[in-house]
Amino acid sequence: MEFEQLIQLIQTVSDSTLTGFKYEQSGIKISMQKEKVQIAAAGAVVTAPVTEFAAPAAAPEVSAASAETKEAPAAEGKLIKSPLVGTFYAAPSEDAEPFVTEGATVKKGQTIAIVEAMKLMNEIESEFDGTVAEILVENGEAVEYGQPLFRIV
């Protein structure tokens, strides 16, 4: 696929109402996804499409994606975001204690949650040392790629 064709394909998907598109030919894979984001303005909720496309210069596989994210708090700290789409679990099992609670001290690499995707349990590790200032999602809640899960200070 020529570069001009790729640009035209991205523009066509951006202008359409499609929310996802996958294409594969001769070892080249293209995956595009766009989601709607809700923006609050003066008490009204406006839904607008958000599209981000990123293509590595000379890579045989091209992937472009955008995801719905909750509005990030304007508070201090660093956000730990979901690395994939799935279901958020705060504990390793229903009857177990949560991995962390608000106010808990965490170390970089420490497991702080699980996101289940396609029946696989993916451990979410802290990217920072610090204290859990806020847990931004509820146990059992569906999460999107890039959605903030924790705020660490």
Side-chain angles (χ1 to χ4, degrees), residues 20-86:
F21 176 81
K22 290 184 181 180
Y23 174 82
E24 182 175 348
Q25 180 183 12
S26 304
I28 296 175
K29 296 178 184 178
I30 298 173
S31 176
M32 293 184 257
Q33 181 179 350
K34 67 180 179 180
E35 301 290 333
K36 292 187 177 184
V37 121
Q38 289 190 347
I39 303 167
V45 175
V46 178
T47 302
V50 174
T51 308
E52 281 183 27
F53 295 104
E61 184 171 321
V62 178
S63 178
S66 169
E68 180 179 333
T69 59
K70 283 189 174 179
E71 204 170 294
E76 65 181 44
K78 300 173 186 169
L79 294 177
I80 297 178
K81 298 178 180 181
S82 178
L84 60 155
V85 175

Side-chain angles (χ1 to χ4, degrees), residues 82-93:
S82 178
L84 60 155
V85 175
T87 305
F88 174 86
Y89 293 108
S93 65

